Amino acid sequence: MSVSTDVQFLPANEARRVRWRNDLGWTREIHAEPASDGGGWRWRISIAEIGEAAAFSRFDGAQRELMLLSGDGLMLRFDDGEVVDLEPPYARVRFSGERGLQGDPGGPGVSALNLMWRPDLVEAATWLRPLVGTMLVFVDPRDCWLVHVLAGQACLARSALPPLERGDTLLLRAFELRSRHVLDGGGSLLLAKLSDATRASPLLGAL
């Protein structure tokens, strides 16, 4: 049985370093999935470098999930008074892109993984998972699974791709039939399922 699949390897050293929208910091853009309506991206994954206290950019019409990647912590102070303390390892928070906030790093070397999506187009679900040996990822048509290596190493079975190291990312898609992917290795992964919000079927997935 033939299955139409797509695997995209995004090495950490090829991430594009760009300024924040408000010009107060830098981010390394891993991938921006274009929207078919010409309205920019459907979803975007990047790593923000937070060297000093600064206001974060606003993204009206988007949802965000921010996860601490490195450093001793990150305090998020929202304009509405809420305070969220992201502590190592890998604390995360989900919030609306319309909310104004400032990030106060707990020391040098703070970075955060920033996943953003347009909820009118995309449904997003994320999981932190240890990789110990073998992991299966099943991808349904029109879905995209994102696999980001937080620590250790991962290999995609039956693939010519090199082993994924810390900071590397895989995008796994299926266009016609459900596909099955096998990951091997040891470490920690962030998994994100990005589904088409405009279709009628519910958000379902299996690991």
Side-chain angles (χ1 to χ4, degrees):
M1 179 178 63
S2 63
V3 178
S4 175
T5 63
D6 182 56
V7 176
Q8 189 173 356
F9 174 47
L10 304 171
N13 60 7
E14 293 184 8
R16 186 170 63 103
R17 193 167 185 258
V18 297
R19 294 291 289 175
W20 290 2
R21 173 184 281 187
N22 64 9
D23 209 36
L24 296 179
W26 290 91
T27 193
R28 285 173 283 146
E29 185 179 84
I30 298 171
H31 181 76
E33 185 78 0
S36 58
D37 62 4
W41 41 259
R42 290 169 55 85
W43 60 267
R44 179 176 182 258
I45 182 80
S46 62
I47 297 175
E49 303 166 5
I50 308 167
E52 59 185 10
F56 281 23
S57 304
R58 291 176 60 129
F59 287 88
D60 293 346
Q63 288 290 312
R64 305 180 65 171
E65 184 167 300
L66 200 68
M67 182 179 70
L68 183 70
L69 279 183
S70 63
D72 291 333
L74 176 64
M75 186 79 71
L76 302 178
R77 304 181 187 276
F78 290 89
D79 291 353
D80 58 15
E82 183 181 8
V83 177
V84 177
D85 189 9
L86 298 183
E87 298 181 345
Y90 311 131
R92 53 190 171 142
V93 62
R94 183 174 288 207
F95 57 95
S96 170
E98 283 92 353
R99 296 179 69 187
L101 75 153
Q102 176 170 300
D104 295 328
V110 172
S111 66
L113 193 68
N114 180 35
L115 177 64
M116 298 189 291
W117 64 96
R118 288 177 52 184
D120 59 323
L121 300 177
V122 175
E123 292 179 344
T126 62
W127 298 266
L128 286 173
R129 288 288 186 268
L131 179 62
V132 182
T134 299
M135 175 185 292
L136 301 180
V137 180
F138 295 94
V139 184
D140 290 316
R142 299 176 65 191
D143 287 348
C144 178
W145 279 78
L146 181 148
V147 181
H148 182 81
V149 180
L150 299 170
Q153 187 180 84
C155 296
L156 184 65
R158 299 184 296 277
S159 169
L161 293 176
L164 277 72
E165 307 286 347
R166 179 183 176 186
D168 291 341
T169 304
L170 276 182
L171 301 182
L172 307 174
R173 309 176 196 267
F175 297 111
E176 296 174 1
L177 300 174
R178 196 182 205 214
S179 62
R180 172 180 176 270
H181 299 272
V182 180
L183 295 169
D184 290 302
S188 298
L189 305 176
L190 175 74
L191 301 171
K193 182 183 179 183
L194 301 147
S195 301
D196 186 352
T198 63
R199 67 185 181 187
S201 59
L203 178 67
L204 296 174
L207 293 179

